[in-house]
């Protein structure tokens, strides 16, 4: 961190990029995307179709060892937005920390640099005093603040249908609300016969086309491919993937599964467990996931095509990644990467990541370890606006330009899910030290020869205690070297303890919603 801030200060907080015309910037985040679920990786899962993400990667910089700051959505997004460890203010896991007023966001920095700004999509930040996107430095926003949202039920009429069936049912459905999205200062935005992915795409294209002398900063955060994945996003993709039709009839006496009917099934959490926690494995779950992934990819293509049509392609930096690792509960595929979302094995935190800026960056693949926290520092260097607080990331620019071959060898990196979970990680070079206090079993789905999810899930246990892995020689985290390298274990454990005393204790976010997670 100090290296970046020092270099910025030495050049008077004004980089070579900032001296020329500033680029437009688009940040795109998928939600719970599997590591093997993009076509530009070396290992690609069967059935994955992402031609537009592949096109982005072919002309961009692909990072093979990119990491989210957390294995869960909210805390990862907090780190991305601030460029800092959210543990500094007590945000370790769901419902903790929130976004304090004392923390600066990327959007605030970009607006200070003269950008017009907009956020579209998911805004899950554990509540907090600064949760509202209009307090983040965004001029406009459209989306939702919960951890998930129904992809298709986006109308006020859907809310009325639930309330008609049972008064107070929507208040009961805190886990995956339905109904209108929110625009700017709380104005509801109701949509019919569409889905969130298409809405977010249309809104992004409209924002890009808005004429202005200012450059723009767009933060596009999809809820694809997060649960609940109860049906295909549209009819075309339903037919393509051979997914059974599950139309939603607001006036039906009973809403059959996979929809939640508050009269037929009074316990909402029971339904949520069935649909979003593999309580009832959906034979078509993987196909529904792939359909949502393909739609998201096509929307990314629409955004890229719009840049070309508007003559902005060469002038725009595009960043793409996922908020955390793929989730087994949404039928993601992490390929050879160990485990899934929620844990700190690489399956929970290793993510796809691409940065593209044709005017400045040559297409290449980089193997050095990077994190989402590095994006804030990178944009700070590009705009020439210094951060208000020391960052926990480094600018990617020297790495992309080839001036350095690594970013994070001088300082270790840390992950910590807090006291309740007791799962933390230290990464120093190729070495990764993992500590898990309690046993952890996740449910692995398996596919038959037709690509359908088998009814029987496979339970996969993950080890407890201290574990040491050499990630260069053993990227799948299969060979625990803790007994053969006790000195290194103690050294890295000491690094964690030194880091941890600099962080705050876990703090529950203001009005935090405690998410029930079945592991």
């Amino acid at each position: 961190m100090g290296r970046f801030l020092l270099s910025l200060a030495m050049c008077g907080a004004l980089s070579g990029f900032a001296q020329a015309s500033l680029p437009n910037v688009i940040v795109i985040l998928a939600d719970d995307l599997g590591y093997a679920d993009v076509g530009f990786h070396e290992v690609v899962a069967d059935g994955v179709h992402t031609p537009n993400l592949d096109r982005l990667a072919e002309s961009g910089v692909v990072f093979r060892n990119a990491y989210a700051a957390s294995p869960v959505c909210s805390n990862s997004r907090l780190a991305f937005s601030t460029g800092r460890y959210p543990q500094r203010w007590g945000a370790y896991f769901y419902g903790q920390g929130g976004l304090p007023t004392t923390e600066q966001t990327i959007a605030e920095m970009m607006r200070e640099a003269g950008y017009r700004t907009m956020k579209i999509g998911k805004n899950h930040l554990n509540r907090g005093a600064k949760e509202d996107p209009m307090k983040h430095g965004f001029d406009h926003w459209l989306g939702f603040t919960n951890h998930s949202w129904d992809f298709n039920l986006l109308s006020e009429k859907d809310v009325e249908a639930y309330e008609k069936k049972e008064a107070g049912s929507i208040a009961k459905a805190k886990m995956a609300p339905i109904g209108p999205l929110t625009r700017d200062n709380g104005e509801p935005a109701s949509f019919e016969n569409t889905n969130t992915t298409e809405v977010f795409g249309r809104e992004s294209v409209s924002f890009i086309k808005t004429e202005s002398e200012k450059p723009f900063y767009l933060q596009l955060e999809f809820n694809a491919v997060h649960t609940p994945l109860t049906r295909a996003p549209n009819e075309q993709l339903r037919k393509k993937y051979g997914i059974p039709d599950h139309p939603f009839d607001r006036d039906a006496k009973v809403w059959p599964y996979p929809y939640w009917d508050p009269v037929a099934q009074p316990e909402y959490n029971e339904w949520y467990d069935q649909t979003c926690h593999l309580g009832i494995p959906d034979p078509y779950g993987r196909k529904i996931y792939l359909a949502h992934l393909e739609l998201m990819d096509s929307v990314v293509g629409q955004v890229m095509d719009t840049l070309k049509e508007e003559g902005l392609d060469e002038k725009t930096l595009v960043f793409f990644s996922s908020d955390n690792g793929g989730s087994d509960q949404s039928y993601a595929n992490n390929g050879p990467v160990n485990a899934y979302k929620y844990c700190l094995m690489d399956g929970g935190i290793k993510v796809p990541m691409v940065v593209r800026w044709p005017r400045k960056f040559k297409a290449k693949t980089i193997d050095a370890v990077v994190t989402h926290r590095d994006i804030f520092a990178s944009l700070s260097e590009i705009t020439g606006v210094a951060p208000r607080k020391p960052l926990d990331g480094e600018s990617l620019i020297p790495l992309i330009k080839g001036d350095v071959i690594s970013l994070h060898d001088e300082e270790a990196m840390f992950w910590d899910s807090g006291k309740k979970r007791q799962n933390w990680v230290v990464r120093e070079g190729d070495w990764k030290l993992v500590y898990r206090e309690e046993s952890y079993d996740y449910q692995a789905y398996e596919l038959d020869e037709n690509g359908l999810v088998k009814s029987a899930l496979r339970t996969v246990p993950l080890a407890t205690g201290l574990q040491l892995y050499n990630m260069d020689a053993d990227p799948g985290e299969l060979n625990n070297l803790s007994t053969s390298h006790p000195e290194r274990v103690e050294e890295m454990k000491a690094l964690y303890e030194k880091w941890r005393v600099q962080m705050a204790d876990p703090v529950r976010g203001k009005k935090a919603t405690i998410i029930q997670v079945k592991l």
Side-chain angles (χ1 to χ4, degrees):
M1 175 276 125
R3 181 175 56 189
F4 164 69
L5 203 58
L6 177 62
S7 65
L8 197 60
M10 289 177 64
C11 66
L14 190 63
S15 71
F17 296 112
Q19 293 168 4
S21 58
L22 293 173
N24 303 302
V25 177
I26 301 176
V27 167
I28 304 173
L29 284 182
D31 199 343
D32 292 359
L33 179 62
Y35 192 78
D37 287 333
V38 290
F40 57 82
H41 276 168
E42 294 175 348
V43 177
V44 183
D46 290 342
V48 169
H49 183 63
T50 57
N52 295 293
L53 290 176
D54 301 347
R55 173 162 56 114
L56 185 73
E58 287 170 3
S59 56
V61 181
V62 177
F63 294 90
R64 295 291 190 205
N65 287 290
Y67 286 85
S70 171
V72 296
C73 311
S74 52
N75 305 74
S76 172
R77 293 166 193 267
L78 285 168
F80 170 84
S81 297
T82 62
R84 287 161 51 84
Y85 286 114
Q87 290 88 349
R88 291 190 179 280
W89 58 90
Y92 289 76
F93 207 69
Y94 282 133
Q96 294 178 348
L99 182 61
T101 57
T102 53
E103 293 298 320
Q104 180 190 27
T105 67
I106 289 180
E108 287 177 300
M109 179 188 69
M110 299 301 280
R111 189 153 70 178
E112 184 178 340
Y115 282 73
R116 59 185 180 92
T117 59
M118 184 166 191
K119 183 168 188 174
I120 298 171
K122 180 171 176 174
N123 183 63
H124 181 211
L125 298 175
N126 287 347
R127 308 291 178 171
K130 201 173 177 177
E131 179 192 35
D132 185 349
M134 298 303 288
K135 297 179 180 179
H136 298 181
F138 291 107
D139 300 323
H140 301 285
W141 100 284
L142 173 71
F144 60 91
T145 59
N146 208 294
H147 88 298
S148 68
W149 206 264
D150 191 285
F151 286 94
N152 297 84
L153 304 184
L154 306 177
S155 171
E156 183 61 40
K157 294 180 181 178
D158 296 319
V159 176
E160 292 172 355
Y162 266 92
E163 291 299 296
K164 181 179 179 181
K165 186 166 287 258
E166 182 191 72
S169 60
I170 296 301
K172 190 191 299 184
K174 294 180 180 179
M175 301 285 281
I178 67 169
L181 302 172
T182 301
R183 188 184 293 279
D184 290 356
N185 294 312
E187 177 188 351
S190 185
F191 299 91
E192 293 272 2
N193 302 315
T194 186
N195 56 72
T196 54
T197 304
E198 292 172 343
V199 169
F200 298 157
R202 289 194 297 268
E203 196 75 17
S204 297
V205 168
S206 176
F207 178 73
I208 292 169
K209 288 184 174 181
T210 302
E211 293 187 12
S212 174
E213 295 181 357
K214 293 182 177 182
F216 65 77
Y217 173 71
L218 171 62
Q219 204 163 302
L220 170 56
E221 302 187 34
F222 293 104
N223 57 321
V225 282
H226 193 289
T227 57
L229 297 171
T230 53
R231 62 171 169 167
N234 59 37
E235 185 66 8
Q236 178 183 357
L237 289 168
R238 184 189 73 78
K239 291 180 178 179
K240 175 178 178 177
Y241 285 93
I243 300 166
D245 193 11
H246 294 299
F248 180 71
D249 181 358
R250 296 178 184 135
D251 299 320
K253 185 174 182 180
V254 177
W255 295 327
Y257 188 84
Y259 296 105
W260 175 55
D261 186 315
V263 175
Q265 190 173 22
E267 290 298 324
Y268 179 83
N269 286 341
E270 178 184 54
W271 172 86
Y272 194 85
D273 178 73
Q274 293 169 350
T275 57
C276 302
H277 288 157
L278 296 177
I280 299 179
D282 185 347
Y284 292 90
R286 175 64 179 172
K287 291 180 180 290
I288 296 173
Y289 172 99
L290 291 173
H292 280 272
L293 173 60
E294 182 171 337
L295 180 60
M296 182 186 71
D297 177 83
S298 70
V299 168
V300 172
Q302 292 167 19
V303 169
M304 294 172 63
D305 291 343
T306 301
L307 292 175
K308 283 193 174 183
E309 293 164 4
E310 298 294 312
L312 301 173
D313 187 56
E314 296 287 318
K315 304 175 184 178
T316 304
L317 184 155
V318 179
F319 167 84
F320 172 81
S321 190
S322 176
D323 60 346
N324 46 249
S327 172
D328 55 334
Q329 297 170 2
S330 61
Y331 306 98
N333 191 323
N334 284 332
V337 182
N338 188 15
Y340 286 93
K341 176 183 178 179
Y342 299 127
C343 79
L344 290 176
M345 309 310 287
D346 262 21
I349 53 178
K350 192 172 185 180
V351 292
M353 181 166 146
V354 177
V355 177
R356 178 184 183 270
W357 185 10
R359 177 176 288 182
K360 293 290 184 179
F361 300 157
K362 294 181 179 180
K364 63 169 65 176
T365 297
I366 291 178
D367 291 324
V369 174
V370 298
T371 83
H372 284 169
R373 290 186 301 272
D374 298 330
I375 302 304
F376 197 124
S378 303
L379 294 178
S380 178
E381 178 170 349
I382 288 171
T383 62
V385 176
R388 298 174 193 167
K389 288 187 174 184
L391 301 179
D392 293 313
E394 297 284 351
S395 173
L396 296 168
I397 307 304
L399 188 63
I400 293 172
K401 292 171 63 178
D403 295 338
V404 298
I405 60 173
S406 65
L407 281 188
H408 298 285
D409 284 352
E410 293 184 8
E411 296 180 352
M413 294 186 294
F414 305 91
W415 289 261
D416 193 337
S417 293
K419 292 180 178 180
K420 185 175 181 180
R421 305 197 61 78
Q422 281 295 293
N423 188 193
W424 52 260
V425 160
V426 180
R427 178 74 186 255
E428 186 179 32
D430 291 331
W431 292 99
K432 179 180 178 181
L433 181 67
V434 180
Y435 176 75
R436 183 179 301 102
E437 184 174 78
E438 298 182 356
S439 61
Y440 179 99
D441 296 343
Y442 68 87
Q443 301 297 310
Y445 71 91
E446 296 181 309
L447 303 179
D448 65 15
E449 63 277 8
N450 298 314
L452 299 179
V453 177
K454 296 180 180 179
S455 58
L457 300 172
R458 180 167 54 93
T459 300
V460 182
L462 295 176
T464 58
L466 286 167
Q467 305 155 57
L468 181 69
Y469 301 98
N470 185 305
M471 300 305 293
D472 180 54
D474 179 27
E477 299 169 303
L478 301 175
N479 187 18
N480 181 2
L481 302 175
S482 59
T483 57
S484 58
H485 293 76
E487 297 87 358
R488 178 162 289 277
V489 169
E490 290 304 313
E491 290 172 1
M492 296 180 71
K493 182 181 177 184
L495 288 174
Y496 165 75
E497 292 171 347
K498 181 179 178 180
W499 171 84
R500 180 62 182 80
V501 297
Q502 300 175 52
M503 303 297 115
D505 287 333
V507 174
R508 178 168 175 166
K510 183 181 179 182
K511 297 182 181 178
T513 299
I514 302 301
I515 305 299
Q516 296 182 8
V517 178
K518 181 180 179 182
L519 302 177

